Structures are given as structure tokens and as C-alpha cells.
Amino acid sequence: MSTLSNYGHNDTAGCYANVNGIRIYYESYGEGEPLLLMHGALQSLSALSPQIAELSNYYRVIAVDTRGHGRSSADGTRLSYRLYARDMSALIRHLALDSVYILGWSDGAITGLILAMEYSSLVKKLAVMAANLFPGDTAIEAWSTEFVRKRLAQLRSKADKSTRDEFAIRVNECMLREPDIAPAELQAVSCPTLVMAGGEDVIKPAHTELIARHIPGAQLMIFPGISHMAPVEIPAQFNQTVLSFLQSR
């Protein structure tokens, strides 16, 4: 097992997969049934280090750098959450896996919802943390959206933008216009699902409840007093919540 600080830069555990016209970087840890981990916007798989360390004791954890993030490449295709989901479905098939458990955080949670909606045969169980179905003040705290707008304006105004700056612009633009999931679409999610968020999340509690209510049989967990950063803010409690869900029958 690698040290916690080495996740995302472990050449022994890391591999590349050529899928959907790009190179996806992922690292595998542990043995057992496959569990796909997906991080949030402008993060990398290292953001889920506490989850990799714990969950790989029970599952074959496949932690992914999504398109353009971390060590994965990107092309000029317009970013969307459905594109991220196509990438992940292609990766699952590239790895010759019949189906996987999924844990997604923020953007990774949105991607997980779309995978379960549109590629249902590939998803055995789904745990999502801090997903939203659409942008706007009914779903997301207004201050958070304003923060993204300001960050985008700052990036656009830079005179000498780096490649990472250009990609960050694309990601922030995507966050402001997407996702575009109608609540009724969640009826297509047929796998056991755990919907999580923090009580002080940027995702409004009523919106998280809306998601859980529209997924047949979904479980709901709101962590009181906890922010959008629950996986790293309360890793032990978060991991146990996910484990209890994944191991339940």
C-alpha cells in the first residue's frame, strides 16, 4: 500500500487507458469487487486519499483523474457531465468489468448519477456526495455561484494563460451552465443509491432531498454542520457511512 501522500503520483499503482479519444489516468489499490472513485471539479484522485486508504481494505479501488484533470489528458470537445460519464463508461469497459460500485464527490457525483441513469448495467451500487441536477439558486448557494463567476472572470483576464488556466476556464464554464438533469430522469436509476451532502453544503439541503426523493429507494444522509468537503472534513464518519451502505444487502 502506498503512503497517503503518494496517491495520484504512484507509478506502481498507476495506469493509463486510451478511451474516448483521450488518455485517462487511474490508480488501483486493494482486491475484491471494483469500486470506482471520482473526484470533483479541478481536483484529482488525490483529493479522495482518505477514501482510497480505507476503502481499498475492502474493495479493488479504481481512483480516476477525470478528463483534463490530474494526469489525464483532454481534447477540445466541449466539456459536459455526460461527456465525463461517457469517458467513465468507456473506462469500465476497457477494464473488462461487468459492473462497478461507484463513489462520486461533487462533479464526480453528478457523473455517477448520469452513469447510473444512462449506463445502468455498469453500476452495481452508487454513493454520491454533494451532487446537483442543475445550476442556479434553487440548487446551489448564491455565494458559491458568484465565487465561480469571479474566478472565471479572473482566469479570462490573465494576459498569459497557461494550459491549466485554459482548462480551468472550460471547467468553470461547464459548472455555470450544467448539469442539465431533470428530476424525473432520476427514475432511470435502478441500482441501490446513497445520496449524501453536508448540512452546511453549497448544495442546498432541499435540493439534495429532491435528488433522493426522485431515485427509487434511495437512502439519504445529511451530515449535520458539515460542508461540501465531508470526505476530508470527517473522513472516518464519511467512510463508515459509505462502507455500511456498500456492504448492506
Side-chain angles (χ1 to χ4, degrees):
M1 183 68 66
S2 69
T3 62
L4 204 64
S5 61
N6 200 35
Y7 295 132
H9 305 278
N10 186 342
D11 291 336
T12 301
C15 292
Y16 286 92
N18 294 316
V19 297
N20 223 14
I22 58 168
R23 295 182 81 211
I24 290 288
Y25 178 76
Y26 65 95
E27 293 179 0
S28 296
Y29 299 92
E31 298 178 354
E33 295 187 87
L35 169 60
L36 181 68
L37 267 55
M38 294 183 291
H39 58 76
L42 299 174
Q43 294 181 332
S44 70
L45 68 88
S46 64
L48 289 161
S49 292
Q51 286 64 57
I52 299 170
E54 176 64 14
L55 300 177
S56 61
N57 292 319
Y58 305 90
Y59 298 96
R60 175 191 171 190
V61 167
I62 303 163
V64 179
D65 282 343
T66 54
R67 170 183 291 254
H69 294 73
R71 300 171 75 173
S72 291
S73 71
D75 56 19
T77 305
R78 180 182 171 93
L79 295 179
S80 72
Y81 294 103
R82 284 181 164 82
L83 177 62
Y84 292 141
R86 286 199 296 276
D87 291 343
M88 293 301 100
S89 67
L91 176 65
I92 293 167
R93 293 182 173 114
H94 172 85
L95 296 174
L97 300 172
D98 292 332
S99 60
V100 299
Y101 295 123
I102 289 178
L103 170 60
W105 176 15
S106 195
D107 276 24
I110 299 167
T111 302
L113 288 174
I114 295 171
L115 278 165
M117 286 162 38
E118 299 186 356
Y119 307 90
S120 59
S121 65
L122 299 180
V123 185
K124 190 176 299 184
K125 281 191 175 185
L126 173 66
V128 294
M129 169 64 201
N132 61 294
L133 303 182
F134 39 78
D137 293 352
T138 62
I140 302 171
E141 294 290 349
W143 66 262
S144 179
T145 301
E146 184 59 25
F147 176 81
V148 174
R149 292 187 192 281
K150 288 181 178 178
R151 182 171 57 188
L152 181 56
Q154 290 170 349
L155 286 166
R156 285 172 170 165
S157 68
K158 289 181 71 171
D160 51 345
K161 300 179 186 67
S162 67
T163 301
R164 300 311 299 176
D165 291 335
E166 295 286 2
F167 184 72
I169 288 171
R170 296 172 62 195
V171 171
N172 282 286
E173 289 173 341
C174 178
M175 291 171 63
L176 290 175
R177 70 173 180 264
E178 288 210 11
D180 58 352
I181 302 169
E185 290 184 80
L186 296 175
Q187 293 290 321
V189 178
S190 57
C191 64
T193 302
L194 172 63
V195 178
M196 299 174 286
E200 305 299 324
D201 210 305
V202 297
I203 309 300
K204 293 185 173 180
H207 189 72
T208 301
E209 292 164 3
L210 172 76
I211 293 172
R213 192 165 61 248
H214 280 81
I215 298 174
Q219 299 178 33
L220 173 65
M221 170 58 79
I222 303 291
F223 298 103
I226 301 303
S227 76
H228 194 70
M229 305 300 288
V232 294
E233 190 175 353
I234 49 166
Q237 182 183 354
F238 182 85
N239 291 345
Q240 187 54 56
T241 300
V242 172
L243 269 175
S244 295
F245 165 70
L246 293 177
Q247 294 177 340
S248 65
R249 296 195 177 272

